[in-house]
Amino acid sequence: MVNPNRGSGGVGFRSDEFEQKYDRPSKSQLKREMTALQELGEELVSQPKDRVMRVPMPEDVRDAILECQKIKDHEGRRRQMQYVGKKMRTLEEDEVAAIQTVIDSWKGASKAETAAMHALERRREKLLADDKALTELKADFPEADVQQLRTLIRNARKEQAESKPPKAYREIFQILKQLQQQSKGAAADDVQHDDADEE
């Protein structure tokens, strides 16, 4: 009997005989995508409501997320979380990308906030360790109340020496934070004025 798969010469196989059709994603690829969408849903559920309200997404998906945030019962929340995952899988690729972009921007912002906070903490430590640091601070922030800071630094050192609650220590941090915010605000105003001048 002639093998229909054989070429006209009767030798060899057709080149596409053993090729499977890979038009559809593999099972493991689908599972990875489903897991990623589930995690994206969990990330949204963990965020404050006002943040979730600002994320671009269909209303039914948002409703599922907000509903999940309200559920305190462990089993009920787990079931609702599965429903959120199911809803996330109904999203189009561009919708998922838009949500991911917003979440990434939150993470970037919080990283920047953390870095800024650490910088302020280092500056406070420097103020407590070295009297020259106050002169440097005055050069960076001419509007700083040096007298008030000098008193707080003295009190903070005393607190540390006597193992007292760090009231002055915390106040120094708040003042540094205010100074930084004021200088950022002033810098933003300068940029706006510069833009206005160029027009």
Side-chain angles (χ1 to χ4, degrees):
M1 189 174 148
V2 178
N3 184 340
N5 290 331
R6 303 260 169 192
S8 54
V11 181
F13 299 98
R14 285 204 322 265
S15 64
D16 65 346
E17 190 175 343
F18 293 112
E19 285 179 18
Q20 289 181 326
K21 302 285 181 252
Y22 277 113
D23 298 342
R24 294 198 322 260
S26 66
K27 278 185 180 175
S28 55
Q29 174 64 24
L30 285 172
K31 189 162 171 51
R32 278 195 298 274
E33 287 172 10
M34 281 169 59
T35 304
L37 287 169
Q38 185 76 34
E39 286 170 0
L40 200 60
E42 286 170 11
E43 179 80 46
L44 288 165
V45 169
S46 73
Q47 295 298 328
K49 182 182 175 183
D50 61 322
R51 265 190 168 180
V52 175
M53 296 305 289
R54 292 197 301 265
V55 180
M57 68 177 95
E59 280 307 308
D60 58 332
V61 179
R62 191 188 319 277
D63 291 344
I65 289 164
L66 295 175
E67 186 59 35
C68 191
Q69 289 181 337
K70 292 179 200 165
I71 299 171
K72 298 287 177 260
D73 172 61
H74 179 71
E75 181 57 25
R77 193 177 173 98
R78 188 189 66 78
R79 278 201 305 271
Q80 183 66 16
M81 201 60 244
Q82 285 182 322
Y83 179 65
V84 168
K86 187 176 170 187
K87 282 297 196 186
M88 294 297 290
R89 292 193 289 278
T90 66
L91 296 172
E92 298 294 328
E93 272 183 39
D94 59 330
E95 292 174 316
V96 173
I99 292 170
Q100 189 64 61
T101 302
V102 173
I103 289 176
D104 290 345
S105 75
W106 293 340
K107 288 179 179 167
S110 61
K111 271 186 192 166
E113 285 164 13
T114 305
M117 202 171 81
H118 287 316
L120 291 176
E121 286 169 353
R122 282 194 301 275
R123 187 142 210 179
R124 173 176 60 187
E125 293 309 319
K126 203 171 168 189
L127 284 168
L128 294 179
D130 183 3
D131 290 333
K132 284 192 227 108
L134 190 56
T135 312
E136 288 170 21
L137 184 77
K138 181 70 178 157
D140 291 343
F141 303 102
E143 70 279 15
D145 183 342
V146 177
Q147 198 53 51
Q148 181 194 17
L149 275 164
R150 194 171 283 130
T151 305
L152 285 171
I153 290 166
R154 194 171 47 244
N155 291 348
R157 285 173 179 163
K158 197 173 172 186
E159 285 168 359
Q160 287 179 341
E162 297 173 8
S163 302
K164 286 186 172 174
K167 189 169 174 275
Y169 186 75
R170 288 197 185 114
E171 271 186 67
I172 293 170
F173 183 83
Q174 292 307 323
I175 289 172
L176 291 175
K177 196 171 166 185
Q178 283 168 358
L179 288 170
Q180 193 172 50
Q181 285 168 347
Q182 285 166 1
S183 74
K184 271 186 190 167
D189 288 346
D190 290 347
V191 169
Q192 284 174 344
H193 289 312
D194 291 348
D195 291 348
D197 294 343
E198 284 172 19
E199 282 173 13

